[in-house]
Amino acid sequence: MKVLIIEDEKSLSMALKELLVCEGFLVDAAYNGADGLDYALSGIYDIIILDITLPKMNGIEVLQTIRKNNISSAVLILTAKSETEDKIAGFKSGTDDYLTKPFVTEELIARVWALSRRNTMEYVDETLKYGDIELDRTHHLLKKDGSKIKLSTKEFQLMEMLMLNKDSVLKREYCITKIWGYESDIEYNSTDVYISFLRKKLGALKSKTVIKSVRGVGYSLGEKE
Ligand code: CA
């Protein structure tokens, strides 16, 4: 689960990040509305914690722009007690929950967990299908006919993204940020390494499905000709 914190109070942001990391979330932080919006528009976050009063662009504008761009991340708004009107505006523009400052951090963690559960419940398809293969999302297994192969966490994440984006090209940068996060200094070719592992596993299953490289862009699923 990836969380984005858009909050200009650095000490609060850092404290929240630490807590969420302890809970096992992958966390990025932005300290003003404009940067926060850039991060959010990548579409890689499951949950966005969004402060209302922010430099460069306020939280409501950020939220409205996110929704206009069809980004479906769950959004938890942080408001000050004096911002009741903002709060109402926030709900109108597509927020999922809000918390009034000052809050107890346990309360925030509980809300984030609730939103993360709500998000995973949308994953109704336990199994994804493409061509002659199936991906078991619960057990991270790649299957073809009666055969199956276990995927590592990163292989699974990549395969899942490929299958969810089967009608388009999966961008390399998107894979990297989604799996390793913005702040990682992961080498560009690490994705290629995991793609090659996946290709080997598809080969071992004697699948007709192949992962094609689209030069300079990314990868897409296809069938052996
Ligand atoms: Ca603020």
Side-chain angles (χ1 to χ4, degrees), residues 7-9 51-55 101:
E7 164 64 76
D8 56 318
E9 287 167 54
D51 187 28
I52 295 253
T53 318
L54 289 166
K101 287 182 181 177

Side-chain angles (χ1 to χ4, degrees), residues 10-154:
K10 283 203 176 161
S11 55
L12 174 62
S13 172
M14 277 150 74
L16 291 180
K17 181 170 177 173
E18 205 174 303
L19 280 164
L20 289 166
V21 167
C22 283
E23 298 279 321
F25 291 96
L26 290 165
V27 184
D28 288 325
Y31 304 111
N32 67 62
D35 288 350
L37 179 63
D38 276 350
Y39 278 50
L41 288 179
S42 68
I44 62 170
Y45 298 99
D46 302 290
I47 298 163
I48 298 171
I49 299 172
L50 178 62
D51 187 28
I52 295 253
T53 318
L54 289 166
K56 293 194 181 170
M57 183 186 241
N58 75 48
I60 297 299
E61 283 176 82
V62 172
L63 181 59
Q64 284 166 341
T65 315
I66 291 172
R67 292 300 186 230
K68 239 179 249 165
N69 284 275
N70 296 320
I71 302 291
S72 61
S73 316
V75 176
L76 170 63
I77 287 247
L78 303 179
T79 68
K81 272 218 171 82
S82 56
E83 293 170 328
T84 324
E85 273 180 40
D86 285 339
K87 197 187 289 175
I88 294 160
F91 276 111
K92 279 187 182 153
S93 47
T95 188
D96 297 285
D97 199 1
Y98 74 94
L99 205 52
T100 309
K101 287 182 181 177
F103 51 82
V104 198
T105 48
E106 286 80 5
E107 178 64 24
L108 180 120
I109 300 293
R111 300 286 183 96
V112 170
W113 272 117
L115 288 174
S116 75
R117 276 189 292 271
R118 198 213 57 180
N119 246 4
T120 36
M121 269 155 57
E122 286 169 11
Y123 282 153
V124 279
D125 296 331
E126 285 296 308
T127 305
L128 294 175
K129 291 186 181 133
Y130 181 88
D132 56 359
I133 53 161
E134 284 184 9
L135 181 67
D136 176 335
R137 296 166 97 178
T138 313
H139 305 100
H140 295 189
L141 293 170
L142 193 60
K143 299 179 181 174
K144 193 209 156 224
D145 303 327
S147 320
K148 56 188 174 196
I149 281 188
K150 178 89 179 161
L151 300 182
S152 72
T153 307
K154 287 190 169 54

